[in-house]
Amino acid sequence: MRKSFVAVLISFVAISCKNVQEVAPFGTVPTPQQVEWQKMEYNMFMHFGPNTFTGVEWGSGQEKEELFNPTAMDCSQWTQIAKAAGMKGVIITAKHHDGFCLWPNPVSNHTVAQSPWRDGKGDVLKDLSEACREDGLGFGIYISPWDRNDPHYGTDEYNDVFVKTLEHALGSYGHVFEQWFDRACGEGPNGKQQVYDWPLFNSTVHKMQPDAVIFSDYGPGCRWVGNESGSAGRTCWSTINVNEDFTGPVQSRKDLNEGIRGGDTWAAAETDVSIRPGWFWRESENSKVKSLQHLLKIYYESVGRNSVLLLNVPADTRGLIHEVDSLRLMELRAALDEIFSVDLAAGGKVIADNVRGKSRRFKALNILDGDYDSYWATDDSVTTASFAVELPEARTFNRVQLQEYIPLGQRVSAFSIEAQGEDGTWRTIAKETTIGYKRIVHVPVTTATSIRVNIEESEACPVINGFALYMDSIYTLETTLPIDQ
Ligand code: FUL
């Protein structure tokens, strides 16, 4: 009797699994490389070059190569700090607007090879790419097309020089996870501006490094977040609209900050911000390194808002990250570890009002299993749905983390969160818009036995792969707006 019941159950499950359709991707979706890039979450930006020695932000291009002479250059120090900070990659200014190349670029006379550093035999890109490999970090390259030194700048020839520059930098140091294009376009030594050939530049990157995600103001791989203060939009779509030739239309800062719902290109926001007031190191700013509270705010408003954080930590004239900065990074790491080490939703039960095809494959409990590729999904016809997490006991938290399974597109455009107190009453603790890869919602300190997430509006059936609750007792600069605002 028992045996036949089990057999019937097994065949029922088998039939139901077989018949339930996969969730079809919705709209514009990321490439696998863009998904991996987003999973990195937190990377180091490294501004280093002649400006480090002159104390200016934009060099004129007339700086003498002799200036560049770090006294204790050690890229392993950078990568060890980045790794200990929990960062996953490092992106270096291989060439800033002043045109000086941190590697011996054969098509330039303004490089480390002309400097006294290591008798002209040094190569920062070589050292850093090796240190990144050693420490298991991604290696990324910033190259500014604006060049205030190159005599060809402002003529057609320059685009070819720039392509050769790209080919050399991207072809000599192994895998590059991100190519960072600064779109600044000022005047060169002859007083002329350059007309950049973006399709040619982008195709060169794709040819040299097929897996590299290309950053620029509007992609094509990832986009600028629209400010340098470290804040993605509270609403943040990973899509924008871009012309095929990537010359525009120039997106408004608001569109860059919030993305465009239903946009034609997947280009998630990257939040680049400096740990100091300037991008380059200068002694006078050793006392102005951002506070732990400020960095936590930046973390919540970038990683917590569907963006990747690219935190600039510039090396000093020794060629080392200064002690003040590294100490602050370790404080941030310790705080993040403390906040996110205990998931208070662990061990909970999850019930949803709709499960795709009533299939176990798409069951609501998938949101708690820690497996990125398993998710809760509803039937295609359902775009308004709720799930409730019943906690093993009453628990106190002030952060609710949600994740959408972005390989299938970004869908949710409005959701609310309710909590059931120990007296049994439910109250709304948050009303928000987008989720994306990761959303960390700030809620008032709440003690609850159950939490309910209501997907109130979604472009297609919701697909949620992560849910967690945390208690942050460290961050004091609360930014939560009152509900309904
Ligand atoms: C800007 C540049 O002009 C700054 O110097 C800095 O490199 C920043 C990250 O991008 O466009």
Side-chain angles (χ1 to χ4, degrees):
M1 173 68 185
R2 204 180 131 80
K3 237 179 168 179
S4 63
F5 172 74
V6 171
V8 169
L9 192 71
I10 289 173
S11 55
F12 171 75
V13 169
I15 289 166
S16 69
C17 283
K18 212 167 128 202
N19 290 341
V20 178
Q21 270 194 347
E22 296 291 336
V23 181
F26 169 76
T28 310
V29 296
T31 62
Q33 290 83 355
Q34 286 173 310
V35 175
E36 290 313 306
W37 172 88
Q38 187 107 33
K39 286 182 185 172
M40 293 172 85
E41 295 192 2
Y42 177 32
N43 297 318
M44 180 183 277
F45 213 0
M46 169 57 71
H47 275 67
F48 188 56
N51 299 345
T52 310
F53 301 85
T54 57
V56 303
E57 282 294 323
W58 285 2
S60 66
Q62 302 311 306
E63 296 79 15
K64 299 240 178 313
E65 291 84 24
E66 291 87 82
L67 264 177
F68 186 83
N69 200 7
T71 50
M73 185 75 198
D74 183 5
C75 290
S76 296
Q77 189 245 16
W78 308 354
T79 55
Q80 279 161 23
I81 290 170
K83 190 177 178 187
M87 294 162 161
K88 298 291 188 287
V90 183
I91 300 177
I92 182 158
T93 52
K95 176 170 90 88
H96 203 251
H97 310 324
D98 55 56
F100 185 83
C101 300
L102 293 182
W103 82 105
N105 179 6
V107 294
S108 170
N109 292 321
H110 193 49
T111 79
V112 281
Q114 286 77 39
S115 81
W117 176 57
R118 293 185 185 162
D119 294 327
K121 305 267 182 315
D123 182 341
V124 181
L125 297 196
K126 180 171 183 289
D127 287 9
L128 181 58
S129 57
E130 286 173 2
C132 282
R133 264 192 294 281
E134 181 90 358
D135 285 317
L137 299 170
F139 170 64
I141 297 181
Y142 165 119
I143 300 190
S144 167
W146 183 20
D147 195 314
R148 303 179 90 180
N149 176 273
D150 195 294
H152 305 97
Y153 189 88
T155 71
D156 285 349
E157 253 185 294
Y158 176 77
N159 284 341
D160 295 330
V161 172
F162 189 65
V163 164
K164 290 201 176 78
T165 295
L166 282 176
E167 285 174 345
H168 196 255
L170 292 168
S172 309
Y173 304 102
H175 187 259
V176 172
F177 82 97
E178 181 172 337
Q179 167 62 46
W180 215 96
F181 277 136
D182 199 309
R183 281 206 171 230
C185 181
E187 290 168 357
N190 59 10
K192 291 198 187 128
Q193 270 191 328
Q194 182 71 28
V195 179
Y196 298 140
D197 188 344
W198 284 111
L200 177 64
F201 300 168
N202 288 339
S203 65
T204 305
V205 177
H206 286 140
K207 180 182 76 183
M208 301 307 298
Q209 292 284 341
D211 288 340
V213 169
I214 301 179
F215 169 98
S216 85
D217 283 12
Y218 28 95
C222 60
R223 72 173 193 267
W224 186 40
V225 76
N227 62 64
E228 291 181 343
S229 57
S231 185
R234 195 161 161 175
T235 293
C236 191
W237 293 98
S238 292
T239 46
I240 53 169
N241 288 327
V242 176
N243 276 356
E244 258 174 39
D245 62 2
F246 287 94
T247 52
V250 177
Q251 310 277 332
S252 70
R253 289 202 173 205
K254 185 173 184 289
D255 284 350
L256 291 172
N257 196 240
E258 299 185 352
I260 296 177
R261 182 178 180 165
D264 58 26
T265 300
W266 185 281
E270 181 179 77
T271 303
D272 62 317
V273 56
S274 186
I275 197 167
R276 291 164 169 252
W279 290 103
F280 285 88
W281 179 88
R282 54 179 77 84
E283 178 110 56
S284 60
E285 291 182 356
N286 285 349
S287 56
K288 294 184 182 148
V289 171
K290 289 186 171 68
S291 67
L292 171 62
Q293 291 294 326
H294 195 163
L295 292 176
L296 280 171
K297 179 176 193 291
I298 288 170
Y299 185 86
Y300 278 127
E301 293 184 8
S302 55
V303 178
R305 290 183 178 175
N306 188 32
S307 179
V308 167
L309 171 57
L310 181 62
L311 182 63
N312 181 60
V313 189
D316 62 16
T317 48
R318 295 171 299 174
L320 298 175
I321 291 175
H322 193 272
E323 294 75 345
V324 181
D325 307 66
S326 58
L327 192 62
R328 195 53 43 79
L329 288 179
M330 295 311 122
E331 284 170 13
L332 176 62
R333 183 69 263 153
L336 293 173
D337 284 346
E338 190 175 325
I339 297 164
F340 296 108
S341 59
V342 181
D343 174 9
L344 296 157
K349 288 186 200 147
V350 195
I351 301 159
D353 58 7
N354 181 286
V355 172
R356 189 175 185 78
K358 297 193 172 60
S359 163
R360 290 186 58 210
R361 250 181 70 215
F362 301 111
K363 65 182 184 296
L365 194 60
N366 288 347
I367 64 173
L368 294 189
D369 68 1
D371 175 356
Y372 186 79
D373 294 307
S374 79
Y375 42 81
W376 165 64
T378 64
D379 291 321
D380 283 336
S381 57
V382 174
T383 54
T384 304
S386 301
F387 65 81
V389 181
E390 194 186 306
L391 302 172
E393 76 248 325
R395 287 180 176 168
T396 303
F397 56 88
N398 58 2
R399 304 283 179 259
V400 181
Q401 180 175 295
L402 284 159
Q403 289 190 275
E404 269 186 276
Y405 189 63
I406 56 164
L408 294 173
Q410 190 179 350
R411 296 157 180 251
V412 176
S413 52
F415 67 97
S416 65
I417 306 173
E418 295 171 278
Q420 187 177 36
E422 285 175 289
D423 63 358
T425 53
W426 286 92
R427 69 189 180 94
T428 302
I429 54 173
K431 268 183 174 293
E432 295 288 334
T433 52
T434 51
I435 297 176
Y437 165 75
K438 184 180 272 190
R439 183 71 202 273
I440 305 171
V441 182
H442 293 229
V443 297
V445 176
T446 302
T447 300
T449 52
S450 287
I451 324 297
R452 189 157 55 214
V453 174
N454 307 303
I455 307 295
E456 295 176 347
E457 195 181 66
S458 185
E459 302 275 272
C461 70
V463 183
I464 307 292
N465 66 334
F467 175 88
L469 297 173
Y470 300 108
M471 181 64 209
D472 175 356
S473 311
I474 300 172
Y475 183 59
T476 53
L477 305 173
E478 262 324 327
T479 53
T480 312
L481 296 174
I483 292 162
D484 281 329
Q485 261 200 342

